[in-house]
């Protein structure tokens, strides 16, 4: 017999060829039972790293499992191809972002194919292609017309030397590199190109008004049962809803100023009013007051970065409750776009107000004290907890929450209000490698949308420049106004790449469509994505934007889905020596170092997808060994050897254990517990080897065992799966094979498993404790029938029942006298912990079939019998726990 060992490389090449030739993973357009399995598509960085491999091994294993269960599985892949790193690489390598990106994609696609990921490559999408990004522009238009786009001044980084706007990532600390390590505190922010210190500027920028959806996005989280709690909590915090009140203060000569507060109960402690530098009243006052004008300008220029800076104005405000006159400040810590852009300053009870008051010598007036009389820390620090009101006239003695309610009733100038931490989504980027924003600026008409028929607005050719290559291209910039036809300038900002990834999951459904971004009917059939897998770092930006887009597109009538993703899995981190594998730490393991399938199998077997795990060479090699072992088993089976046709008790045991493994592994697959699947595979393989050595195996049972093993391993190591399936003459590809089903009812499977497991452990203990080394016989005695009856009564008893009396009132049990009495008492004591057991005959049969395991392990003959009522061994036996007698 020729014994080959498993040749990974050859097997891999062969089946890769077959899959491509047969388009095995191509999804039929007329799918009827859709399952959409998606991994977050990668940024095109050049190489697959271990994080990618883990991410995509998870989706691939699950997609393959669902396919074998008969689903029409959509499992696509594409490229998040725009972004700043491509631009940086172009400068470093004197090339252009497009060529660099193409090279990265070619490399990554090849590595993915080696890994055996079964993608429908006919649906591949690449976000930097005009066929894709034109739809970003289309959505921009749709959003604009629906009022979801704003064009507003915002502060940006500015390099005075390059005379250009810098993205945050282009601002580095002195001495660091753009993608690089963080310097120590106190370092200066400089331009990544010329190292000139960076300033701030106010420029008009494009925003998507995601805040219009703050409420919906927040409420929607409650229905996302398939999302990890942690991600939902991060999103909740990010949206940051705050309930409070809007109160208006009368400011002499400037009218009413509204403030937003979460602590209306502290209103009597307000000792000043502060408005943001961009607030109407600040601008108003600045017209007549030079000091204020200077301050506002310095903040605007980014020159005043002291956190508690501010300037007192000559204006005064009236406290609506106390009637006191309060000073009015313009202060930079009050943010323009939070709440109303104005606050009532309560230094005694708010930390920022406290710091401001110390800096500017404003009064600190306590109006809340701890209910339990504990220390409040004032005046050295703010007391920010709730408590009981003091110094608040008629409200004294009320608890904070009661005071807020009363004040809301009493004050005409106050009403309930809420605010969010969430800001609008700034999508403008002053860089080249992104989707051009489809707008033309006309001196007469202002910003005008590029008409739909003129889309896409394509990127001009890349040039190496200090500024924005789009702005450097006259051909790109100078155009005509779509409205009036006069000369006009194109917008030179491009879109944040998160726009690209906010709807790509829809494009996979109809990747070649050229008159719409996606087909609404198909989206209706396929959404939401059944399983979405990716890193937790995307908990907010990407996963919030994709939810926003889905809702916005539905409101625009383009889609009818509220949420894009049903089940979200954040894969854990692969660690090396306790740290995340990363280039900068120099602790990366190249996924190809150990061979594609060994790596796959290891990352899937090491832990639950959501758990972190440590990369260890020893465990990697055990993944390698498992593949060799399975190969050897199948090979020696198909090479021939003795087989038996007859069927005995131990064959039946193995047959049923195969059933039990099918049930367990199937449930594990359903719950993404691939590491448990691997345990099931190892255990069943071990059992089959033991069986083969114990006796000439029954042909049918053994073959079935190997075929089941092959189908279990196929989603994890698909190349090996195909090879084994082929050797076993399984018929067709294992990728398309049917998932195995148990031959028997699975109801008692776990009871059976644990009975045998406990029994073997018990026998081992007895051998150990009694120091037996050559036993002749092991006798297993099933408990007498009356004990099973009593056990059943105990399990069925209601909480209040007097159990002992009830059991003893049964005539047949009664007959057994004091033995019955003490067993009844024992059951009564354990009545909360009584696990279900098999019926007596079933227990007997199970033991009879499992007897060979003991025979094999302990080298003794095993007999199994049902105990007679009054013999000694019966006294020791209990349901689910046979008596063991060793001679
Ligand atoms: C008065 C007050 C008294 C407040 C007090 C708090 C405690 P948090 O604190 O994060 O829940 N605020 C409102 N608008 C603001 C703006 N535009 N810029 C900066 N701060 C602003 O957020 C709510 C609080 O943030 C509000 O409640 C307000 O200060 C401040 F003992 O009002 B509070
Ligand atoms: Zn015009």
């Amino acid at each position: 017999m020729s014994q080959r060992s498993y040749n990974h490389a050859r097997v891999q090449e062969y089946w890769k060829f077959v899959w491509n030739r047969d388009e095995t993973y191509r999804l039929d357009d007329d799918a009827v039972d859709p399952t959409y399995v998606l991994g977050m598509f990668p940024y095109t960085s050049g190489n697959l790293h271990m994080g990618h491999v883990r991410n995509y091994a998870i989706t691939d294993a699950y997609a393959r499992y669902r396919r074998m269960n008969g689903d029409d599985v959509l499992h696509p892949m594409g490229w998040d191809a725009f972004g700043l790193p491509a631009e940086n690489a172009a400068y470093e390598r004197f090339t252009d972002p497009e060529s660099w990106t193409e090279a990265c994609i070619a490399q990554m696609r090849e590595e993915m194919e080696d890994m055996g990921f079964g993608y429908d490559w006919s649906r591949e999408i690449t976000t930097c292609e005009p066929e894709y990004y034109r739809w970003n522009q289309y959505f921009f238009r749709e959003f604009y017309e629906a009022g979801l786009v704003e064009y507003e001044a915002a502060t940006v980084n500015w390099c005075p030397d390059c005379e250009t706007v810098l993205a945050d990532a282009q601002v580095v600390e002195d001495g660091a590199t753009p993608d690089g390590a963080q310097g120590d505190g106190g370092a200066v922010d400089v331009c990544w190109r010329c190292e000139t210190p960076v300033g701030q500027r106010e420029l008009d920028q494009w925003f998507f008004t995601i805040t219009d959806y703050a409420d919906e996005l927040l409420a929607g989280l409650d229905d996302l049962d398939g999302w990890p709690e942690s991600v939902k909590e991060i999103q909740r915090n990010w949206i940051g809803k705050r309930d409070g009140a809007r109160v208006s203060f009368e400011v002499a000569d400037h009218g009413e100023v509204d403030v937003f507060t979460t602590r209306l109960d502290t209103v009597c402690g307000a000792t000043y009013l502060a408005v943001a530098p961009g607030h109407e009243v600040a601008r108003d006052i600045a017209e007549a007051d030079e000091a204020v004008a200077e301050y506002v300008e310095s903040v605007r220029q980014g020159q005043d970065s002291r956190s508690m800076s501010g300037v007192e104005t000559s204006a005064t405000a009236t406290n609506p409750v106390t009637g006191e006159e309060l000073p009015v400040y313009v202060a930079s810590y009050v943010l323009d776009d939070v709440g109303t852009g104005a606050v009532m300053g309560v230094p005694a009870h708010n930390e920022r107000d406290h710091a401001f008051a110390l800096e500017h010598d404003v009064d600190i007036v306590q109006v809340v004290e701890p209910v339990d009389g504990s220390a409040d820390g004032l005046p050295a620090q703010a007391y920010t907890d709730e408590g009981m009101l003091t110094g608040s006239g008629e409200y004294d003695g009320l608890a904070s929450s009661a005071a807020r309610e009363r004040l809301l009733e009493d004050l005409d100038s106050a009403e309930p209000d809420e605010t969010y931490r969430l800001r609008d989504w700034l999508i403008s980027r002053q860089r080249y490698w992104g989707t051009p924003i489809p707008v033309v600026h006309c001196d007469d008409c202002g910003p005008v949308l590029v008409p739909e028929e003129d889309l896409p607005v394509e990127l001009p050719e890349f040039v190496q420049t200090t500024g924005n290559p789009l702005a450097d291209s006259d051909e790109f910039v100078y155009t005509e106004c779509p409205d009036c036809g006069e000369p006009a300038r194109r917008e030179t900002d491009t879109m944040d790449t998160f726009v690209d990834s906010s709807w790509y999951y829809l494009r996979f459904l109809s990747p070649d469509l050229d008159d719409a971004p996606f087909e609404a009917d198909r989206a209706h059939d396929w959404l939401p994505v059944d399983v979405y897998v990716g890193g937790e770092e995307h908990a907010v930006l990407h996963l919030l934007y994709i939810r926003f887009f889905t809702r916005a597109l539905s409101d625009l009538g383009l889609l009818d889905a509220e949420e894009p993703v049903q089940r979200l899995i954040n894969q854990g981190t692969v660690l090396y020596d306790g740290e995340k594998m990363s280039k900068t730490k120099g602790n990366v393991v190249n996924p190809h170092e150990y061979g594609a399938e060994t790596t796959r199998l290891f990352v899937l077997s090491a832990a639950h997808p959501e758990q972190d795990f440590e990369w260890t060479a020893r465990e990697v090699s055990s993944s390698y060994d498992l593949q060799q072992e399975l190969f050897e088993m199948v090979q020696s089976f198909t090479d021939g050897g003795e087989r038996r046709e007859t069927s005995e008790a131990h064959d039946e045991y193995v047959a049923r254990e195969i059933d039990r493994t099918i049930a367990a592994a199937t449930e594990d697959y359903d719950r993404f517990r691939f590491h448990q699947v691997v345990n099931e595979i190892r255990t069943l393989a071990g059992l089959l080897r033991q069986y083969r050595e114990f006796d000439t195996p029954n042909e049918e049972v053994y073959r079935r065992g190997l075929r089941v093993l092959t189908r279990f391993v196929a989603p994890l190591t698909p190349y090996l799966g195909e090879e084994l399936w082929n050797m076993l003459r399984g018929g067709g590809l294992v990728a398309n094979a049917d998932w195995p089903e148990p031959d028997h009812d699975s109801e008692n499977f776990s009871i059976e498993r644990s009975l045998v497991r406990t029994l073997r452990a018990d026998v081992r203990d007895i051998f150990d404790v009694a120091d037996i080394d050559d036993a002749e016989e092991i006798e297993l005695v099933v408990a007498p029938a009356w004990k099973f009856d009593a056990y059943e009564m105990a399990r069925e008893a209601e909480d209040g029942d007097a159990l002992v009396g009830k059991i003893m009132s049964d005539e047949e049990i009664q007959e057994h006298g004091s033995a019955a009495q003490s067993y009844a008492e024992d059951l009564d004591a354990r009545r909360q912990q009584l696990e279900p057991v098999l019926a007596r005959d079933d227990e007997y049969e199970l033991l009879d079939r499992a007897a060979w395991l003991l025979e094999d392990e302990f080298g003794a003959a095993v007999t199994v019998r049902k105990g007679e009522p009054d013999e000694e061994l019966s006294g020791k036996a209990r349901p689910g726990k046979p008596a063991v007698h060793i001679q």
Side-chain angles (χ1 to χ4, degrees):
M1 246 175 279
S2 71
Q3 286 287 319
R4 297 161 288 137
S5 74
Y6 179 50
N7 183 333
H8 288 261
R10 221 185 43 213
V11 167
Q12 193 167 312
E13 279 319 300
Y14 180 71
W15 293 107
K16 188 160 47 171
F17 164 78
V18 173
W19 291 339
N20 279 330
R21 185 196 61 197
D22 298 357
E23 299 189 316
T24 305
Y25 305 107
R26 187 180 181 128
L27 178 76
D28 268 359
D29 271 345
D30 45 357
V32 288
D33 192 3
T35 296
Y36 192 169
V37 182
L38 186 63
M40 290 181 186
F41 70 163
Y43 178 66
T44 47
S45 56
N47 277 101
L48 287 195
H49 55 66
M50 204 55 82
H52 291 128
V53 171
R54 189 172 191 203
N55 191 157
Y56 306 137
I58 294 165
T59 55
D60 195 52
Y62 190 72
R64 287 172 180 281
Y65 164 68
R66 300 296 330 167
R67 182 181 291 112
M68 292 172 78
N69 275 278
D71 295 5
D72 291 310
V73 174
L74 172 57
H75 186 221
M77 183 41 75
W79 313 103
D80 191 11
F82 271 141
L84 186 65
E87 236 165 295
N88 291 348
Y91 284 111
E92 277 161 31
R93 291 157 214 224
F94 299 100
T95 166
D96 61 278
E98 187 174 358
S99 320
W100 186 79
T101 305
E102 274 171 13
C104 289
I105 290 175
Q107 167 84 20
M108 293 173 86
R109 194 193 294 110
E110 190 180 323
E111 293 186 22
M112 286 185 179
E113 284 183 302
D114 283 349
M115 281 289 161
F117 298 143
Y119 295 126
D120 180 352
W121 286 111
S122 73
R123 292 172 187 269
E124 178 178 8
I125 57 180
T126 306
T127 60
C128 65
E129 289 172 354
E131 295 74 38
Y132 184 85
Y133 71 66
R134 65 171 295 181
W135 301 113
N136 290 343
Q137 297 171 339
Y138 168 86
F139 291 134
F140 181 94
R141 282 182 48 90
E142 295 281 322
F143 281 14
Y144 190 98
E145 279 167 356
L148 287 172
V149 175
E150 264 175 17
Y151 188 50
E152 274 195 346
T155 310
V156 293
N157 306 307
W158 178 256
C159 172
D161 193 52
C162 302
E163 298 199 323
T164 185
V165 172
L166 300 175
D168 283 342
Q170 292 169 315
V171 178
V172 296
E173 284 182 356
D174 203 1
T177 51
D179 51 359
Q182 313 242 308
D184 46 9
V188 194
D189 286 341
V190 299
C191 169
W192 64 299
R193 304 284 312 282
C194 69
E195 301 191 356
T196 308
V198 168
Q200 311 267 292
R201 274 230 169 160
E202 220 173 56
L203 278 187
D204 285 334
Q205 306 270 291
W206 295 98
F207 293 85
F208 285 161
T209 55
I210 188 173
T211 50
D212 291 356
Y213 282 82
D215 238 347
E216 267 188 54
L217 289 170
L218 182 67
L221 290 171
D222 294 338
D223 299 327
L224 292 179
D225 297 333
W227 284 40
E229 227 18 82
S230 60
V231 171
K232 290 191 276 185
E233 202 46 33
I234 291 171
Q235 293 212 351
R236 277 189 197 105
N237 285 329
W238 189 264
I239 296 168
K241 181 174 180 167
R242 282 169 174 72
D243 287 318
R246 185 181 286 244
V247 194
S248 63
F249 283 64
E250 178 71 34
V251 177
D253 301 332
H254 296 281
E256 304 266 311
V257 171
D258 282 355
V259 306
F260 173 80
T261 178
T262 49
R263 292 293 303 275
L264 184 57
D265 52 312
T266 66
V267 63
C268 296
T271 54
Y272 65 95
L273 187 87
V275 299
H279 195 279
E280 228 188 297
V281 167
R283 297 196 187 235
D284 234 27
I285 297 176
E287 276 173 21
D289 185 329
E290 217 163 289
V292 173
E294 247 171 56
Y295 176 72
V296 168
E297 187 53 24
S298 74
V299 172
R300 225 169 61 84
Q301 298 274 334
Q303 285 157 3
D304 199 326
S305 55
R306 292 168 301 136
S307 61
M308 280 305 148
S309 76
V311 61
E312 187 172 355
T313 69
S314 54
T316 55
T318 313
N319 185 314
V321 180
T322 64
E324 269 173 290
E325 291 295 301
L326 310 178
V328 175
Y329 284 81
V330 178
S332 65
Y333 83 98
V334 183
L335 304 174
D336 279 319
D337 53 356
V338 172
T340 61
V343 303
M344 62 177 200
V346 187
H349 303 295
N350 176 289
E351 270 158 25
R352 279 165 302 178
D353 296 350
H354 188 262
F356 187 84
L358 293 185
E359 181 95 19
H360 297 271
D361 212 12
V362 187
D363 293 345
I364 300 178
V365 175
Q366 178 172 16
V367 290
V368 179
E369 57 190 14
V371 182
D372 59 6
S374 61
D376 54 33
L378 282 164
Q381 61 195 67
Y383 172 68
T384 57
D385 285 347
E386 312 230 316
M388 195 173 74
L389 266 69
T390 174
S392 301
E394 56 176 305
Y395 302 99
D396 281 3
L398 286 177
S400 289
S401 57
R404 284 197 290 272
E405 275 173 34
R406 277 273 302 275
L407 280 156
L408 270 177
E409 282 169 22
D410 296 355
L411 289 182
D412 285 340
S413 57
E415 50 187 85
D417 194 13
E418 58 203 21
T419 188
Y420 295 88
R421 207 197 89 137
L422 183 69
R423 311 282 66 172
D424 278 332
W425 176 7
L426 194 167
I427 61 153
S428 289
R429 294 293 180 274
Q430 292 72 35
R431 56 169 96 138
Y432 174 78
W433 199 226
T435 306
I437 291 177
V439 166
V440 168
H441 296 278
C442 168
D443 285 340
D444 292 331
C445 313
V448 179
L449 284 176
V450 174
E452 194 177 337
E453 61 270 22
D454 292 344
L455 299 184
V457 177
E458 288 196 41
L459 282 171
E461 207 169 314
F462 178 72
V463 288
Q464 307 248 350
T465 164
T466 51
N468 177 353
L470 268 71
D472 269 21
S473 165
D474 287 351
E475 215 184 313
F476 178 81
V477 172
Y478 295 106
T479 182
E480 282 170 7
C481 170
D483 273 3
C484 69
E486 291 299 310
R489 299 168 56 94
R490 252 182 225 293
E491 172 63 62
T492 57
D493 284 356
T494 55
M495 293 183 204
D496 182 4
T497 57
F498 278 112
V499 175
D500 311 350
S501 52
S502 291
W503 67 280
Y504 76 114
Y505 77 103
L506 292 163
R507 187 68 182 168
F508 280 129
L509 299 172
S510 9
D512 302 319
L513 206 61
D514 57 12
D515 56 1
F518 56 87
E519 230 174 274
D521 286 351
R522 185 160 306 167
H524 180 77
D525 291 344
W526 281 85
L527 295 185
V529 172
D530 292 79
V531 182
Y532 193 34
V533 184
E536 186 164 38
E537 66 274 19
H538 295 296
V540 264
L541 299 178
H542 168 57
L543 287 171
L544 198 60
Y545 295 150
I546 201 173
R547 295 184 59 221
F548 160 62
F549 249 74
T550 306
R551 284 172 185 267
L553 295 182
S554 290
D555 288 347
L556 290 169
L558 298 170
L559 190 67
D560 66 354
E562 296 219 299
E563 291 287 343
V565 172
Q566 184 160 12
R567 172 86 158 90
L568 175 72
I569 294 184
N570 284 144
Q571 91 262 12
T573 311
V574 183
L575 306 169
Y576 194 90
D577 283 341
E579 290 194 89
K580 180 178 176 152
M581 275 191 191
S582 76
K583 265 195 203 148
T584 42
K585 296 214 180 77
N587 64 352
V588 233
V589 174
N590 179 336
H592 296 279
E593 216 170 302
Y594 293 86
E597 291 214 306
T598 304
T599 305
R600 270 185 77 132
L601 185 58
F602 173 59
V603 300
L604 290 170
S605 62
H608 187 278
E610 284 163 333
Q611 234 76 59
D612 296 350
F613 71 85
E614 176 77 24
W615 183 274
T616 65
R618 196 172 52 82
E619 286 180 55
V620 179
S621 75
S622 99
S623 290
Y624 177 84
D625 293 345
L626 179 59
Q627 298 169 76
Q628 294 292 343
E629 231 166 79
L630 294 174
F631 182 81
E632 180 280 323
M633 288 174 71
V634 170
Q635 179 174 248
S636 63
F637 175 79
T638 54
D639 278 352
E642 254 186 288
R643 302 283 181 266
R644 192 162 39 82
E645 300 289 333
T646 57
S647 181
E648 294 176 34
H650 65 282
D651 302 318
E652 187 60 21
Y653 177 82
V654 174
R656 290 187 185 231
E657 186 54 26
I658 292 169
D659 280 349
R660 290 189 281 263
T661 309
I662 294 172
T666 303
E667 196 184 330
D668 290 334
Y669 265 113
D670 277 333
R671 300 191 182 186
F672 302 90
R673 295 187 302 218
F674 309 115
H675 59 309
Q676 300 289 14
V677 171
V678 175
N679 287 338
E680 293 289 345
I681 291 173
R682 284 186 197 281
T683 310
L684 181 58
L687 179 75
L688 290 175
R689 278 200 310 276
Q690 188 182 3
Y691 173 59
R692 160 179 96 174
E693 278 152 31
F694 181 75
D695 187 9
T696 308
N698 171 290
E699 165 92 24
E700 204 182 310
V701 170
Y702 194 62
R703 180 192 302 277
R704 175 161 177 258
L706 293 177
R707 287 169 60 135
V708 164
L709 276 178
T710 299
R711 279 173 290 175
F712 284 170
V713 87
L716 310 175
T717 56
Y719 291 123
L720 176 68
E722 294 297 357
E723 184 71 6
L724 301 182
W725 193 244
N726 188 49
M727 290 160 78
L728 288 165
R729 303 276 173 268
L733 293 173
V734 77
N736 300 322
D738 287 338
W739 196 248
E741 279 181 29
D743 285 343
H744 295 89
D745 182 13
S746 62
E747 195 191 340
N748 289 329
F749 282 178
S750 63
I751 309 179
E752 292 168 2
R753 274 189 156 185
S754 80
L755 195 155
V756 173
R757 196 184 322 116
T758 316
L759 173 68
R760 293 174 77 179
D762 287 350
V763 174
R764 242 167 254 149
D765 278 351
I766 300 173
F767 269 77
D768 264 6
V769 172
D771 208 6
I772 306 171
D773 36 41
D774 55 353
E776 273 182 11
E777 194 194 345
I778 302 173
E779 196 180 2
L780 304 178
V781 181
V782 178
W786 67 265
K787 284 196 181 173
F788 279 84
D789 294 343
Y791 195 92
E792 207 44 41
M793 290 170 82
R795 279 197 27 99
E796 278 166 10
E798 310 274 317
D799 272 355
D801 293 353
L803 186 57
V804 178
K806 196 166 175 204
I807 292 176
M808 292 310 288
S809 66
D810 181 297
E811 275 176 27
E812 289 183 17
I813 297 178
Q814 230 175 61
E815 268 176 33
H816 305 286
S818 63
Q821 175 74 25
S822 69
Y823 186 57
E825 281 165 10
D826 172 46
L827 288 173
D828 189 35
R830 295 185 297 128
R831 61 195 287 187
Q832 304 302 335
Q833 296 109 48
L834 296 177
E835 300 289 337
V837 294
L838 300 176
R840 188 167 182 244
D841 287 345
D842 293 340
E843 179 174 324
Y844 171 79
E845 279 167 29
L846 174 67
L847 292 175
D848 189 45
R849 293 192 291 261
W852 72 282
L853 289 169
L854 298 178
E855 200 176 319
D856 191 42
E857 182 171 351
F858 302 101
V862 179
T863 56
V864 182
R865 63 181 178 81
K866 296 181 185 171
E868 297 302 326
D870 294 312
E871 63 166 316
E872 196 201 334
L873 282 174
S874 281
K876 289 188 196 153
R878 283 181 285 159
K881 228 174 169 11
V884 180
H885 181 64
I886 300 173
Q887 282 175 335

